[in-house]
Amino acid sequence: MPPRLKATARFFVFATLTLVLLPFQFLVLAIPGGKGRVGYALPNLWHIIICRAFGIKVEILGTPYRRSQTVFVSNHISYLDIPAIGSVLPASFVAKKDVAGWPVFGMLAKLQQTGFIDRSRTAALTQNSAMGAMLDEGKTLIIFPEGTSTDGREVIPFKSSLFSLLVGDARPGLMIQPFTLSMRMADGSKPQTQDERDLYSWHRDMDTDLGVHLWRFAQSRGAIITLHFHPAFKAAGHTDRKELAAFCHNQVAQGLADQDNNELKIKTTTAKKGAAIHV
């Protein structure tokens, strides 16, 4: 299929799916209990279909923790991470407040029950209050402590402010699970150049508009994204937010450093079980 026709078809799927599911999600969130686990069912379905439509394949290493309330901690390389992660984890993302004002995507984020925070130092108290309220509601959260997005070749130090609510936490059973997000393939091959990486990644060093970037990606053969889940641990076991931030950063960064070994594991698992790829 010609690239432009492929992109047009993908945007048609995006628009149609969104228009069909949108009113149902509004209704779900309006009913009593609709903002609990049931409120993630339709967004999860939306993410799965969007990934398939746009050619985003998600490989899973490790096991996502699901037995109790969890805060998932990850690096971040693109807005396209959201459907990739959302197709696997029924949870609320925590995003910078600017996202709430994005056309279309801002509304979709709100329907996903995203928490919006101000990352400025002066707003730290308000941000903690917003996250604390979500945790008190029993929500499982996904946070990106880098505070920005990169091209995926490194994991920059985590901002410790997001961890202040998690140290010595008294919430029973609250767990933390770091995971590493990496781009294994883009447009059918392992990315070697910056331009090839930037087909999927949309990061702090780019000046490309989101719409332009998405149109280019929609014309491609998509991407293969790996989510490597590291061991989960109890939040109550840590009492210093900077130490906790550094510990999670090391886990995520090591996962990126081990990417070549991860690829070997994925290929081996796929050959033996045929179930390593979640599309």
Side-chain angles (χ1 to χ4, degrees), residues 29-30 33 48 60 80 88 90 117 132 135 144 153 155 157 181 186 195 198 223 225 246 259 262 265-266:
L29 295 180
I48 290 172
I60 301 173
L80 295 166
V88 176
I117 60 173
L135 289 172
F144 303 115
R153 289 184 295 179
V155 181
L181 185 149
D195 187 61
D198 289 351
I225 302 302
Q259 185 174 4
N262 291 344
K265 291 177 185 177
I266 290 168

Side-chain angles (χ1 to χ4, degrees), residues 151-213:
D151 66 359
R153 289 184 295 179
E154 63 174 338
V155 181
I156 61 177
F158 287 172
K159 297 182 181 298
S160 64
S161 58
L162 288 176
F163 294 89
S164 59
L165 283 174
L166 305 180
V167 292
D169 197 280
R171 296 177 181 89
L174 181 66
M175 303 291 286
I176 298 173
Q177 185 171 34
F179 69 94
T180 304
L181 185 149
S182 57
M183 180 193 345
R184 191 164 73 83
M185 303 277 280
D187 200 23
S189 62
K190 185 173 181 177
Q192 302 291 338
T193 66
Q194 189 65 52
D195 187 61
E196 289 171 345
R197 296 200 69 82
D198 289 351
L199 178 70
Y200 175 91
S201 62
W202 193 68
H203 52 87
R204 56 181 180 165
D205 297 324
M206 294 175 64
D207 56 6
T208 307
D209 289 339
L210 186 151
V212 174
H213 184 272

Side-chain angles (χ1 to χ4, degrees), residues 53-213:
F54 280 79
I56 301 172
K57 295 182 179 179
V58 183
E59 301 172 327
I60 301 173
L61 280 173
T63 304
Y65 191 84
R66 303 181 188 276
R67 294 196 294 273
S68 65
Q69 185 182 19
T70 306
V71 176
F72 292 96
V73 180
S74 174
N75 58 315
H76 190 27
I77 63 179
S78 175
Y79 58 91
L80 295 166
D81 297 345
I82 305 305
I85 298 170
S87 69
V88 176
L89 299 176
S92 288
F93 290 91
V94 175
K96 58 184 181 181
K97 68 174 185 178
D98 306 29
V99 175
W102 289 4
V104 181
F105 291 100
M107 176 187 62
L108 292 175
K110 292 172 184 175
L111 291 175
Q112 169 85 33
Q113 303 182 66
T114 296
F116 300 103
I117 60 173
D118 188 338
R119 295 189 181 275
S120 66
R121 292 190 176 186
T122 56
L125 186 61
T126 303
Q127 130 184 331
N128 287 346
S129 177
M131 276 188 64
M134 296 178 75
L135 289 172
D136 289 341
E137 291 170 4
K139 293 187 182 301
T140 283
L141 304 181
I142 302 163
I143 64 174
F144 303 115
E146 290 170 298
T148 186
S149 53
T150 71
D151 66 359
R153 289 184 295 179
E154 63 174 338
V155 181
I156 61 177
F158 287 172
K159 297 182 181 298
S160 64
S161 58
L162 288 176
F163 294 89
S164 59
L165 283 174
L166 305 180
V167 292
D169 197 280
R171 296 177 181 89
L174 181 66
M175 303 291 286
I176 298 173
Q177 185 171 34
F179 69 94
T180 304
L181 185 149
S182 57
M183 180 193 345
R184 191 164 73 83
M185 303 277 280
D187 200 23
S189 62
K190 185 173 181 177
Q192 302 291 338
T193 66
Q194 189 65 52
D195 187 61
E196 289 171 345
R197 296 200 69 82
D198 289 351
L199 178 70
Y200 175 91
S201 62
W202 193 68
H203 52 87
R204 56 181 180 165
D205 297 324
M206 294 175 64
D207 56 6
T208 307
D209 289 339
L210 186 151
V212 174
H213 184 272

Side-chain angles (χ1 to χ4, degrees), residues 191-271:
Q192 302 291 338
T193 66
Q194 189 65 52
D195 187 61
E196 289 171 345
R197 296 200 69 82
D198 289 351
L199 178 70
Y200 175 91
S201 62
W202 193 68
H203 52 87
R204 56 181 180 165
D205 297 324
M206 294 175 64
D207 56 6
T208 307
D209 289 339
L210 186 151
V212 174
H213 184 272
L214 183 56
W215 176 252
R216 180 181 177 228
F217 180 77
Q219 295 180 72
S220 75
R221 285 174 287 179
I224 299 180
I225 302 302
T226 301
L227 305 182
H228 182 187
F229 289 89
H230 306 293
F233 57 89
K234 290 184 178 180
H238 293 260
T239 57
D240 183 276
R241 64 183 174 88
K242 291 185 178 180
E243 180 273 332
L244 178 56
F247 177 82
C248 289
H249 174 269
N250 290 340
Q251 293 282 303
V252 175
Q254 186 60 50
L256 190 61
D258 291 341
Q259 185 174 4
D260 289 340
N261 290 332
N262 291 344
E263 290 179 16
L264 179 60
K265 291 177 185 177
I266 290 168
K267 290 175 182 176
T268 301
T269 304
T270 304

